[in-house]
Amino acid sequence: MSKLVFITGASSGIGQALAWRFYQAGYSLALVARRTREIEAWVGFRQISADRCQIYSADVSVPDRIVAVGQACMVQQGVPDVVIACAGISIGVDTAQRADIEVIARTFASNNIGTTATFHPFLNAMVKRGSGVLVGIGSVNGIRGFPGHGANCPSKAAMISYCECLRGELRTSGVKVVTLCPGYIDTPLTQKNAYSMPFLMRPEDFADKAFRAIEAGVSYRVIPWQMGVVAKVLRLLPNWLFDKAFAGRPRKPRSPEA
């Protein structure tokens, strides 16, 4: 039997690219998104074998729903070998705007609560089996805070910290926790950014490097590595110099719905 990967946020961008990379490597797919029509169209376009793919509908920010989907996956396809919590939100916010408080709440509900709810249904089964990989998608934006990123940066920082906590908890269980921190990836989430995005990557290129990192069982990796260097330098900058360097940087666009 082929290995199984469970991926949330699989309707576009990084999630979809990861699904294709894992499928090419021989994995069966359990694909989750709110917009299942996009996944169905993509599966048809890629001519993915029906016996190696199941599609599930869930909003990861609703814990009961994503937990139920995880349980359904185990009944229909078995316990996954890899679980990737890829669903997330990246929207600019302004704390002075009352509507953006809800945007911040939705961001944390999706990026953080959604990740824990995605991992939850599989934990006991993976520990009992003594194997499995849980993958959290952080971001280089979780290293420091940028103007207009009052939702994305802290939620990604929390993701990095959460995965580190979980890794320690599962250290002797045989279950690995991998934290991946993408730099700038050319997806719908970044295409509206009005600022420069160094080392911008295609989703397919990110997915290939991410696949290799997951297979190797690394605990933490920034992709591409150049952004890892940039992130370390930024982390070392004193606040006054960091603030001066980014004083004129355009803010991340706010949600048009806010």
Side-chain angles (χ1 to χ4, degrees):
M1 294 180 63
S2 62
K3 292 183 177 181
L4 175 65
V5 60
F6 181 97
I7 305 175
T8 65
S11 60
S12 64
I14 289 174
Q16 197 171 88
L18 284 167
W20 180 239
R21 181 63 182 87
F22 272 86
Y23 183 78
Q24 288 180 305
Y27 278 73
S28 292
L29 307 176
L31 304 180
V32 186
R34 291 175 299 167
R35 306 186 306 273
T36 55
R37 288 185 180 179
E38 283 86 343
I39 302 181
E40 291 166 357
W42 176 78
V43 166
F45 173 76
R46 288 292 191 180
Q47 298 183 326
I48 290 175
S49 174
D51 61 357
R52 285 179 54 196
C53 180
Q54 289 282 344
I55 298 172
Y56 303 90
S57 174
D59 181 341
V60 299
S61 67
V62 183
D64 285 347
R65 183 55 188 157
I66 186 61
V67 168
V69 161
Q71 293 167 339
C73 171
M74 288 190 287
V75 170
Q76 297 178 36
Q77 296 176 274
V79 180
D81 298 276
V82 180
V83 175
I84 306 177
C86 199
I89 297 174
S90 178
I91 303 172
V93 295
D94 182 349
T95 305
Q97 301 296 324
R98 176 62 183 85
D100 282 7
I101 303 304
E102 272 67 40
V103 175
I104 294 171
R106 291 200 303 270
T107 300
F108 274 85
S110 179
N111 295 2
N112 303 109
I113 303 304
T115 294
T116 62
T118 296
F119 290 165
H120 166 76
F122 305 112
L123 266 177
N124 288 337
M126 283 185 166
V127 170
K128 182 177 180 180
R129 186 180 60 189
S131 67
V133 183
L134 302 172
V135 183
I137 304 297
S139 170
V140 292
N141 282 342
I143 308 299
R144 293 214 68 158
F146 297 98
H149 286 69
N152 183 249
C153 286
S155 72
K156 291 303 185 180
M159 171 73 79
I160 294 168
S161 181
Y162 165 72
C163 287
E164 189 167 39
C165 294
L166 191 60
R167 187 175 74 244
E169 294 167 11
L170 298 173
R171 183 175 58 85
T172 61
S173 69
V175 180
K176 296 180 179 179
V177 178
V178 175
T179 307
L180 297 179
C181 290
Y184 294 112
I185 313 299
D186 188 12
T187 71
L189 291 179
T190 60
Q191 288 166 359
K192 295 181 180 180
N193 291 342
Y195 43 81
S196 63
M197 294 180 285
F199 311 113
L200 184 69
M201 294 184 76
R202 298 187 310 152
E204 297 79 9
D205 295 331
F206 169 83
D208 183 63
K209 294 182 183 299
F211 174 80
R212 296 176 188 277
I214 293 167
E215 287 286 283
V218 302
S219 59
Y220 176 90
R221 181 160 294 175
V222 176
I223 301 173
W225 66 265
Q226 294 94 331
M227 283 303 298
V229 174
V230 172
K232 287 182 178 180
V233 171
L234 291 179
R235 183 68 271 174
L236 292 172
L237 288 180
N239 287 347
W240 70 268
L241 184 54
F242 176 81
D243 293 346
K244 183 177 181 179
F246 289 90
R249 189 177 194 245
R251 297 167 66 97
K252 188 172 183 64
R254 296 174 60 236
S255 169
E257 300 175 359

